[in-house]
Amino acid sequence: MSAYTWWLAIGFLVLGPLVGALLAGIDRILTARMQSRKGPPLLQPVYDVLKLLEKDTLVVTHLQSLYLWGFLFFMLISGFILFLGSDLLLSLFALTVSGIFLCLAAYSTNSPYSNIGSARELMLTMAYEPMLIMVALGFFLVSGSFRVSDIVQGSPWQVLQLGGILIGFLFVLTIKLRKSPFDLSASHHGHQELVKGITTDLSGTDLALVEIGHWYENVILLGWLYLFFAPWGLAVALPISIVLFFAEVLVDNTHARLTWSSALRVSWWVTVLFGVTNLLVLPLIGHSS
Amino acid sequence: MSFLKKSPWVLHYAATSCNGCDIELLACLTPLYDVERLGIVNTGNPKHADIFLVTGSVNEESRKVVENLYAQMPDPKVVVAIGACALSGGIFRDAYNVYGGIDQVLPVDVYVPGCAARPEAIIDGVVQALGILEERAKERKRQRRMVRA
Ligand code: SF4
């Protein structure tokens, strides 16, 4: 752990929300342009959160705020570990715990919409978690270490060696970013059968916490995506990962929502087809450890 | 400056309207008018909403829903009545089953006339509501400070 990675990790804590908000803002503008609309200003997500802080917070149970702080805390831990160049698995576990906290917050509010939302969110966790673990495993097999600092300095061929896993990861990224066809736990558009899913009963400051948590999450996921291309250096790897990241917006706008059962089935098939196959053939295509 | 003005989230409810005004209201979200460029988002959730847009002349059934939705919105909030029906009952005014106007059941802040109200008029009404919303936000801040002191 060098001084550089410490700065990176602290930079994540401080600037993470800003980068995440910009990503969200570009996302909204791209979506609007795809629908031939002008779209909101770039900083709209920031305005939204600042507004939420001005609003009253309706508290159903005090537990909800506690869980939401847990959600944000573990999100921070996960990103901090990742940007510190530390253990990838640990970062993944913290990310999962943070997701569970969000579900707990929704469950605690007791509204049927939040309950269905969090039940579906748990289902989605089941759908994407195997693939995420396979990503960490794949990195371990090619670079011989779970440490992010070693993975970054891996062989430039690691993207090709992990091609199947990259496809699988891009697939579950759609779920993680709550994009259609997998936006079934918290729909973007609140006038559907689920209202707002997990966040239905959260308002004011509580909702702002969820938004800020999602900004951090976006940065973490972008970081994961970056790891695949990291050995090529920042100048090449970052643009590629950003382009792939925003390709999700296209998917979002061109697909209708799936039911939870088909979402689960499809993502497990993709996990087996691309992830497991990739892991199995990895010894044949050689690794540099 | 208040950020409420930059990010007003609206809640739309049709309280026994003929759906004419509702279609005009939803037209505001289409690419031609695109109110999202003003940061306006149509949420279907009262707990996320700042502006309550109501159409229709309100009868006993919809009164309960309107009051319930209004009660669930966190302060500061404003109500905009849209269309002749929502203002006074419109062509249904003499019907025995309607209250005849949203202001019979809720405190209305902005009235948008028309049968049906035009999208431009509706956007104008929302923009006027933003001014009131900001006033209310200031008032709310003052109240909170007083509670703390
Ligand atoms: S004002 Fe006219 S268009 Fe609007 S709800 Fe009433 S009758 Fe329908």
Side-chain angles (χ1 to χ4, degrees):
Chain A
M1 264 164 260
S2 60
Y4 169 68
T5 55
W6 274 104
W7 278 117
L8 213 58
I10 292 168
F12 165 78
L13 294 187
V14 181
L15 298 176
L18 189 64
V19 177
L22 286 179
L23 288 175
I26 296 172
D27 181 332
R28 279 179 72 172
I29 292 178
L30 278 179
T31 303
R33 295 293 152 88
M34 282 177 195
Q35 300 165 354
S36 59
R37 292 187 290 116
K38 184 167 174 290
L42 182 60
L43 288 180
Q44 188 61 45
V46 180
Y47 300 151
D48 288 349
V49 163
L50 290 176
K51 175 206 73 175
L52 287 172
L53 294 176
E54 283 176 29
K55 293 274 286 183
D56 278 10
T57 308
L58 301 177
V59 180
V60 183
T61 152
H62 284 292
L63 268 181
Q64 73 186 55
S65 310
L66 178 71
Y67 286 140
L68 287 175
W69 280 107
F71 161 70
L72 192 62
F73 178 73
F74 280 100
M75 191 65 78
L76 287 175
I77 298 267
S78 168
F80 194 78
I81 294 172
L82 181 71
F83 285 91
L84 200 56
S86 208
D87 201 317
L88 191 60
L89 268 185
L90 218 54
S91 165
L92 170 60
F93 294 152
L95 194 65
T96 310
V97 171
S98 129
I100 301 291
F101 266 105
L102 185 59
C103 289
L104 283 175
Y107 265 125
S108 69
T109 60
N110 261 331
S111 114
Y113 299 116
S114 334
N115 273 356
I116 297 176
S118 44
R120 287 184 180 178
E121 178 72 15
L122 287 176
M123 205 66 77
L124 288 178
T125 313
M126 264 165 64
Y128 64 69
E129 206 66 13
M131 191 62 231
L132 287 186
I133 291 183
M134 238 162 264
V135 173
L137 216 60
F139 278 131
F140 174 74
L141 288 178
V142 290
S143 66
S145 162
F146 278 119
R147 299 188 69 80
V148 174
S149 51
D150 295 333
I151 295 168
V152 171
Q153 278 148 14
S155 99
W157 296 110
Q158 78 179 18
V159 189
L160 294 183
Q161 288 170 324
L162 298 178
I165 288 188
L166 176 61
I167 294 174
F169 178 69
L170 286 174
F171 190 85
V172 297
L173 192 62
T174 326
I175 307 181
K176 266 311 245 177
L177 295 174
R178 296 198 172 71
K179 296 276 185 210
S180 187
F182 303 115
D183 60 340
L184 39 106
S185 70
S187 53
H188 283 306
H189 308 290
H191 23 187
Q192 294 170 354
E193 93 285 8
L194 199 56
V195 189
K196 272 285 184 183
I198 327 189
T199 59
T200 301
D201 257 287
L202 308 174
S203 55
T205 319
D206 283 346
L207 190 60
L209 283 184
V210 176
E211 283 302 313
I212 295 171
H214 284 328
W215 292 347
Y216 275 118
E217 193 174 23
N218 284 356
V219 178
I220 294 171
L221 292 171
L222 187 62
W224 275 65
L225 194 53
Y226 174 83
L227 279 188
F228 282 94
F229 309 97
W232 294 346
L234 192 69
V236 183
L238 195 61
I240 295 181
S241 24
I242 288 179
V243 167
L244 285 177
F245 191 84
F246 284 117
E248 300 288 347
V249 182
L250 185 65
V251 176
D252 188 26
N253 277 293
T254 46
H255 286 76
R257 185 195 289 169
L258 289 175
T259 58
W260 67 265
S261 52
S262 32
L264 199 61
R265 203 172 330 116
V266 172
S267 46
W268 278 0
W269 267 113
V270 168
T271 306
V272 171
L273 217 58
F274 292 100
V276 177
T277 316
N278 195 167
L279 284 186
L280 289 180
V281 300
L282 210 48
L284 305 178
I285 50 182
H287 49 87
S288 57
S289 60
Chain B
M1 204 210 77
S2 165
F3 284 96
L4 276 161
K5 266 188 141 165
K6 295 206 159 215
S7 147
W9 291 358
V10 303
L11 174 69
H12 163 216
Y13 180 68
T16 339
S17 81
C18 81
N19 265 202
C21 286
D22 304 298
I23 289 169
E24 298 300 317
L25 201 160
L26 294 176
C28 299
L29 304 169
T30 59
L32 185 60
Y33 298 100
D34 184 27
V35 289
E36 204 198 356
R37 74 201 140 89
L38 308 173
I40 300 176
V41 174
N42 183 15
T43 77
N45 184 353
K47 293 195 172 179
H48 294 182
D50 310 306
I51 301 180
F52 192 16
L53 306 175
V54 205
T55 60
S57 44
V58 200
N59 62 12
E60 182 52 26
E61 286 304 308
S62 54
R63 178 187 64 85
K64 293 175 203 153
V65 183
V66 168
E67 286 178 350
N68 192 352
L69 288 174
Y70 182 75
Q72 285 191 60
M73 286 171 61
D75 277 315
K77 56 188 169 187
V78 290
V79 178
V80 180
I82 292 170
C85 289
L87 267 50
S88 62
I91 52 168
F92 302 111
R93 184 177 177 79
D94 295 328
Y96 65 91
N97 60 332
V98 301
Y99 281 95
I102 308 295
D103 53 8
Q104 304 296 313
V105 293
L106 282 189
V108 174
D109 300 292
V110 180
Y111 296 86
V112 179
C115 178
R118 293 188 58 81
E120 291 91 340
I122 296 173
I123 296 174
D124 199 41
V126 170
V127 171
Q128 280 189 31
L130 291 181
I132 300 172
L133 197 59
E134 193 170 23
E135 282 298 302
R136 235 161 250 175
K138 270 192 208 129
E139 176 63 20
R140 192 78 189 151
K141 236 180 239 168
R142 203 180 56 81
Q143 284 174 349
R144 279 194 204 157
R145 234 178 282 131
M146 272 177 31
V147 170
R148 242 180 271 136

